[in-house]
């Protein structure tokens, strides 16, 4: 089942209706199509304020680092009716792109030898309460989708699952005592020196002590290894040379020597660091209430709802009664970069990022969006909804479904 958002002639937000009913109103020329994915229509008449349905509408958000579940539920007099649910796929390539940009910037500065050195000249690095761009863009992506939904349907209340992750417990592998949280997990402010002190200035592979020691990342940084003492080991130069370039082959053996754990805390830290900013911005949209992951799991089990990000969004909504029907279309929402990497604007009426359908000669079809256009060959590259990359497919077999506008609703 799929619902359609409805606006009146003045842009007032009305209660959604089923898509079949919306297409009927369009055929009868009583409404016009404003947006196709998701479907939004605008009536050609104005509805008096007294006749507009004022039943409360709840928005539930299941926050995460890579996927975020959202759901809109209308609290009717007799039942709770889910109207929309979807999963936001967040970008995870921002840090890598910033690393490349930093390399370009440093290269340009190295060429300007006549310019005196400058320090702390970037305002973003001195701003108090600043969020890293890799985290900020994730929260802004969530807010962008919610603000768009708020233009199509009234939102009276927002419920957010408050993420509480104990990073120290993940690092230790058990719940620490209260006094252990006040103790540093390092032996020195210099993390290299701390690793050498922990290992008593002894190579942990061959046992030699009368040589200069080197500190080795067991899981290398290029493979998202953490820069913590649990991922460091002291080795002599000979042993260090043996494991360099083949770190994963030796990682299990070296982790046992230092009692380390191969765990990445990036996802947990991204959610924890940006949650205050997200909560403050959501309060500007509608009253906000927080819930816990335990309450969400208990409700989902009691209501016998399948586990998914979008279904968790339905459960998180501040409801006391089980929703009437949870079998809705699960939208996949992708927020794209504002700056496009396109080199060709359009070809044969198709634009970069258009959502299209490709039909093969055997009748098989692909739903995808265009990522590159080659006008000389009359071809294009596409990425399907499932993430499959299609290269050099002919434009003649394409049919336009919808023109891209800031966000993909698939």
């Amino acid at each position: 089942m799929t619902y359609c958002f409805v606006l009146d002639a003045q842009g007032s937000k009305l209660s959604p209706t089923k898509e079949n009913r919306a297409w009927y109103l369009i055929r009868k020329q009583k409404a016009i199509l404003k947006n196709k994915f998701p479907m939004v229509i605008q009536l050609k008449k104005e509805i008096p304020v007294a006749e507009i349905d004022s039943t409360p509408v709840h928005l539930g958000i299941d926050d995460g680092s890579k996927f975020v579940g959202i759901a809109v539920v209308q609290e009717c007099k007799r039942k709770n009716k889910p109207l929309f649910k979807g999963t936001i796929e967040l970008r995870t390539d921002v840090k890598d792109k910033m690393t490349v940009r930093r390399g370009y910037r440093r290269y340009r500065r190295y060429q300007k030898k006549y310019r005196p050195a400058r320090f702390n000249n970037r305002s973003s690095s001195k701003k108090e309460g600043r969020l890293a761009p890799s985290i900020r863009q994730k929260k802004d992506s969530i807010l962008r989708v919610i603000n768009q939904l708020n233009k199509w349907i009234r939102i009276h209340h927002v419920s957010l699952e408050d993420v509480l992750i104990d990073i120290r417990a993940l690092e230790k592998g058990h719940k620490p005592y209260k006094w252990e949280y006040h103790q540093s997990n390092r032996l020195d402010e210099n993390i290299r020196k701390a690793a050498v002190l922990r290992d008593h200035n002894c190579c942990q592979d061959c046992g030699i002590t009368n040589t200069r020691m080197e500190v080795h990342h067991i899981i290398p940084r290029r493979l998202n290894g953490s820069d913590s003492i649990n991922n460091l080991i002291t080795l002599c130069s000979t042993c260090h040379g043996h494991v360099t370039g083949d770190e994963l082959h030796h990682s299990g053996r070296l982790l046992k020597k230092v009692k380390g754990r191969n765990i990445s805390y990036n996802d947990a830290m991204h959610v924890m660091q940006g949650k205050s900013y997200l909560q403050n911005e959501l309060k500007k949209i509608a009253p906000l209430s927080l819930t816990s992951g335990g309450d969400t799991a208990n409700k989902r089990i009691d209501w016998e709802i399948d586990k998914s990000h979008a279904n968790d969004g339905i459960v998180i909504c501040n409801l006391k009664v089980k929703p009437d029907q949870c079998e809705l279309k699960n939208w996949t929402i992708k927020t794209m970069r504002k700056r496009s990497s396109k080199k060709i604007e359009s070809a044969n009426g198709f634009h970069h990022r258009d959502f299209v359908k490709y039909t093969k000669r055997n009748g098989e079809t692909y739903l995808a969006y265009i990522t590159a256009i080659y006008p000389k060959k009359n071809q294009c590259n596409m990425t399907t909804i499932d993430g499959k990359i299609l290269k050099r497919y002919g434009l003649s077999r394409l049919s336009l479904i919808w023109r891209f506008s800031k966000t993909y609703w698939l």
Side-chain angles (χ1 to χ4, degrees), residues 55 168 252 254-255 263 397 403:
T55 53
R168 195 66 178 271
L254 297 180
L255 283 171
I263 296 179
R397 292 188 171 272
R403 185 129 289 159

Side-chain angles (χ1 to χ4, degrees), residues 109-120:
R109 289 180 179 178
Y110 290 154
Q111 309 309 312
K112 298 181 179 180
K113 299 180 181 180
Y114 57 87
R115 192 177 71 177
R118 295 186 297 178
F119 302 96
N120 294 330

Side-chain angles (χ1 to χ4, degrees), residues 17-30:
T17 184
K18 294 182 180 179
E19 276 198 359
N20 292 338
R21 174 66 178 173
W23 287 116
Y24 172 80
L25 294 174
I26 292 174
R27 289 195 301 269
K28 293 296 182 179
Q29 297 184 358
K30 295 182 179 181

Side-chain angles (χ1 to χ4, degrees), residues 303-320:
W303 290 349
E304 298 179 351
I305 298 177
D306 295 335
K307 167 66 176 174
S308 70
H309 296 287
N311 286 343
D312 280 354
I314 295 177
V315 177
I316 289 169
C317 290
N318 191 18
L319 304 173
K320 297 181 180 180

Side-chain angles (χ1 to χ4, degrees), residues 232-250:
L232 298 179
I233 189 171
T234 305
L235 300 175
C236 64
S237 59
T238 303
C239 295
H240 197 187
H242 289 162
V243 300
T244 301
D246 194 18
E247 291 88 353
L248 293 182
H249 179 71
H250 301 276

Side-chain angles (χ1 to χ4, degrees), residues 253-265:
R253 176 174 60 87
L254 297 180
L255 283 171
K256 290 181 180 179
K257 292 180 179 294
V258 298
K259 297 180 180 179
R261 305 178 68 202
N262 182 16
I263 296 179
S264 176
Y265 310 112

